[in-house]
């Protein structure tokens, strides 16, 4: 229920505007005029017509009793009731002073905004010119920086390319030396298996006393040790070369990847450096300036390439040193094997000469032994004949003694004849005994000579076998010892 005589100002401090065609309340406008606020303090739109009829619609809003009662209970008790006509006349009329003040305010506002617009145009012209110059300078600096960046990338790219070429050349050189070393290692198998060990195996077939641990065998064993030592050193250097080749290829891979990245970056930066305001293909990329996808700064960027170059140079230096070591190793091992090979050959030559000398002496002694055997056999025959020659005198003497035993009685006299016959029998018997003893001695001597002959013949066969092994087999095989170029890897 609505109470008569209530005021709108008591209900609305600021009426709600409906659309853009309504001005603020009269009470607000009145307050602004009294305080002489600047033109921009007006809350209504200056583009709207100044029509009092506009406020009629505002004045027609009638608050309810309940709202007025809740908002201002004490005011309702003091305000007298008013009729509807009085209420409309009170709140929808302006004074002439208000009308003139409103016009003045509009004039001042228009002038103020025109001045502001003029200043804005002048400032905008200066701003546009300054920003144009700033944009041009910024673009020039960016182009200059891109040009410097292109120069830096080109420099590092050329350095990396030069280092890649050097690394490839060094790797190829190391591969060639490694192949030479592998060929030299394979060449040592022949001297080890055929020349040295086969000689030892053949010399194990020597017989009897010739199975001696002589200088030849010592030098052959030393030759085996020398060849095995050379092979071990060669294998170690091959392993080192394999590892060094892996390091070289790793460094080369890093350089090639860096070179590929710099090639791509150079192509991109060249294209960026060549872009102009009139170039084709330029477009907006919103938000790209807020995306930071960088992973390095100029210092770390340059250090990355410099580290790759230093690593490659270090690996190249190690590779060159390894190549020198392999060259020295090939020469040293070749000299060592050839020196020991010559020592073994000298030992073989001396041993063969000694065997020849021993064989000749054995043959000479065998000839003398055979001659002595012949003489001893003749002596034995003479002794046997001498013994046989003593049988008849023995029989004669014994027969005489036997006949004289038949003398009668006193005729059995020990006369000188009897004594002489007895002495003759004893003498012949002693002679026969002596001859038999000498016969046995001669036979024993002959038997010794026969054993000596057999021993000499056996020694001669042993020496002949040793000479055949040393001279024919061993020295024949040692003629296949590889040459120095083959031992240093040249085939």
């Amino acid at each position: 229920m609505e109470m008569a005589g209530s005021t709108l100002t008591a209900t609305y401090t600021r009426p709600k505007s409906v659309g853009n065609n309504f001005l603020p309340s009269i009470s607000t406008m009145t307050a602004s005029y009294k305080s002489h606020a600047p033109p921009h303090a007006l809350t209504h739109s200056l583009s709207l017509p100044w029509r009092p009829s506009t406020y009629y619609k505002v004045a027609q809003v009638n608050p309810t009793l309940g709202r007025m009662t809740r908002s201002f209970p004490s005011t309702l008790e003091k305000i007298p009731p008013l009729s509807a006509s009085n209420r409309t006349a009170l709140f929808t009329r302006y004074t002439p002073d208000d009308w003139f003040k409103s016009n003045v305010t509009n004039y001042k506002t228009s002038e103020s905004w025109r001045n502001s617009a003029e200043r804005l145009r002048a400032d905008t012209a200066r701003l546009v010119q300054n920003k144009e110059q700033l944009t041009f300078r910024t673009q020039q600096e960016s182009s200059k920086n891109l040009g410097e960046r292109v120069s830096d990338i080109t420099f590092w790219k050329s350095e990396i390319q030069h280092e890649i070429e050097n690394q490839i050349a060094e790797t190829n050189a190391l591969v060639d030396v490694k192949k030479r070393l592998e060929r030299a290692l394979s060449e040592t198998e022949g001297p080890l298996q055929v020349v040295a060990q086969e000689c030892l195996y053949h010399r194990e077939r020597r017989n009897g006393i010739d199975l001696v641990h002589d200088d030849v065998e010592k030098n052959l064993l030393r030759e085996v040790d020398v060849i095995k030592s050379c092979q071990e050193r060669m294998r170690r250097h091959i392993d080192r070369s394999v590892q060094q080749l892996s390091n070289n290829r790793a460094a080369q891979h890093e350089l090639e990847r860096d070179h590929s990245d710099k090639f791509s970056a150079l192509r991109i930066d060249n294209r960026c450096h060549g872009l102009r305001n009139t170039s084709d293909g330029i477009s907006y990329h919103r938000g790209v300036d807020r995306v930071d996808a960088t992973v390095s700064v100029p210092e770390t960027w340059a250090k990355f390439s410099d580290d790759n170059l230093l690593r490659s140079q270090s690996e190249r230096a190690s590779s060159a040193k390894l190549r020198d070591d392999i060259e020295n190793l090939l020469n040293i091992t070749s000299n060592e094997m050839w020196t020991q090979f010559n020592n073994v050959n000298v030992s073989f030559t001396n041993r063969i000469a000694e065997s020849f000398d021993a064989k000749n002496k054995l043959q000479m002694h065998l000839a003398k032994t055979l001659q002595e055997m012949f003489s001893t056999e003749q002596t034995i025959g003479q002794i046997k004949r001498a013994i046989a020659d003593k049988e008849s005198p023995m029989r004669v003497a014994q027969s005489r003694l036997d006949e004289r035993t038949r003398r009668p009685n006193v005729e059995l006299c020990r006369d000188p004849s009897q004594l002489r016959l007895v002495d003759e029998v004893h003498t012949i018997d002693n002679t026969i005994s002596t001859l038999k003893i000498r016969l046995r001695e001669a036979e024993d001597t002959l038997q010794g000579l026969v054993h000596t002959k057999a021993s000499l013949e056996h020694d001669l066969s042993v020496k002949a076998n040793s000479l055949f092994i040393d001279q024919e087999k061993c020295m024949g095989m040692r003629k296949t010892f590889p040459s120095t170029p083959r031992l240093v890897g040249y085939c």
Side-chain angles (χ1 to χ4, degrees), residues 66-80:
R67 292 175 63 185
M68 294 174 63
T69 305
R70 286 193 301 271
S71 301
F72 306 96
S74 60
T75 308
L76 294 175
E77 297 176 356
K78 296 179 182 180
I79 297 176

Side-chain angles (χ1 to χ4, degrees), residues 409-424:
N409 299 319
V410 74
E411 292 299 324
L412 288 171
C413 179
R414 188 181 297 273
D415 53 3
S417 297
Q418 182 71 24
L419 295 175
R420 186 61 186 169
L421 285 173
V422 172
D423 183 59
E424 181 182 6

Side-chain angles (χ1 to χ4, degrees), residues 29-87:
M29 292 291 294
T30 306
S32 65
Y33 290 144
K34 290 181 180 180
S35 61
H36 301 285
H40 63 272
L42 296 176
T43 59
H44 62 274
S45 176
L46 297 177
S47 63
L48 297 176
W50 191 264
R51 294 184 301 171
S53 63
T54 308
Y55 289 90
Y56 292 151
K57 296 180 181 180
V58 180
Q60 292 175 0
V61 179
N62 296 324
T64 60
L65 181 60
R67 292 175 63 185
M68 294 174 63
T69 305
R70 286 193 301 271
S71 301
F72 306 96
S74 60
T75 308
L76 294 175
E77 297 176 356
K78 296 179 182 180
I79 297 176
L82 298 175
S83 63
S85 62
N86 292 335
R87 184 171 64 248

